[in-house]
Amino acid sequence: MITVLAAAAVGLLSAFLPFTPAEPYLIAAVTTTGTPPVALGVAAAVGQTAGKVLIFLGARGAIRSQWLQRRLSRRPATAPQPPGRLATMFARPKAAGARLVEVLERPRHTAGMLLVSAVTGFPPLLATSVYLGRTPMPPAAFAAACLLGRTIRFVMIALAPQLAGH
């Protein structure tokens, strides 16, 4: 039971700190304890989903705050600069990011993109959570897609040592 609660805590922590991934904890917990892998995977998914929902709601509140809107409206305009060497080098990744943002702007695609992000980690779920905070996606739909995707990911990772014969 303590291992399952620890998996939920690690999942919650990893929602905010990407350098504290839950995946290594799951593999270590499965190989060193007798805890069922599915229970560990679901617990980590619940913890991480709780954290991502807080990030989603926080981003939604920050984006809609009057203070931030005033700060953004005071930003001075800058003259366009000719593309330099660095700008040319990053042109393709920037275009790919723009296409991804276009997909996220379509309401019927947001849940699917969130699910892909939650299962694969691309685009990063932290960035997706912040970005989707500015969309009209309902928090319940966000939580459901995130929980489903993270459950798939973490249960698969927790089952990996057993499938490998450990």
Side-chain angles (χ1 to χ4, degrees), residues 10-126:
V10 168
L12 180 65
L13 181 64
S14 70
F16 299 102
L17 304 172
F19 54 85
T20 312
E23 292 86 350
Y25 173 80
L26 290 171
I27 292 171
V30 166
T31 57
T32 59
T33 68
T35 309
V38 173
L40 286 172
V42 170
V46 167
Q48 194 163 86
T49 298
K52 296 301 182 188
V53 167
L54 291 174
I55 291 168
F56 171 80
L57 293 173
R60 177 165 283 180
I63 289 168
R64 293 182 179 158
S65 77
Q66 294 298 324
W67 176 83
L68 183 61
Q69 294 301 322
R70 284 193 306 272
R71 298 284 299 181
L72 291 174
S73 67
R74 283 193 252 163
R75 190 180 289 177
T78 58
Q81 299 290 325
R85 193 171 177 186
L86 194 60
T88 305
M89 185 172 71
F90 287 112
R92 292 183 82 185
K94 186 176 179 181
R99 285 191 301 273
L100 182 61
V101 167
E102 286 176 25
V103 170
L104 288 173
E105 290 291 332
R106 298 182 196 131
R108 66 176 200 237
H109 293 125
T110 51
M113 182 56 75
L114 174 60
L115 188 61
V116 167
S117 177
V119 173
T120 66
F122 184 80
L125 187 56
L126 178 61

Side-chain angles (χ1 to χ4, degrees), residues 23 45 48-49 117-118 121 125 146-154:
E23 292 86 350
Q48 194 163 86
T49 298
S117 177
L125 187 56
C146 187
L147 180 61
L148 176 62
R150 283 286 126 164
T151 300
I152 292 168
R153 178 183 180 93
F154 290 152

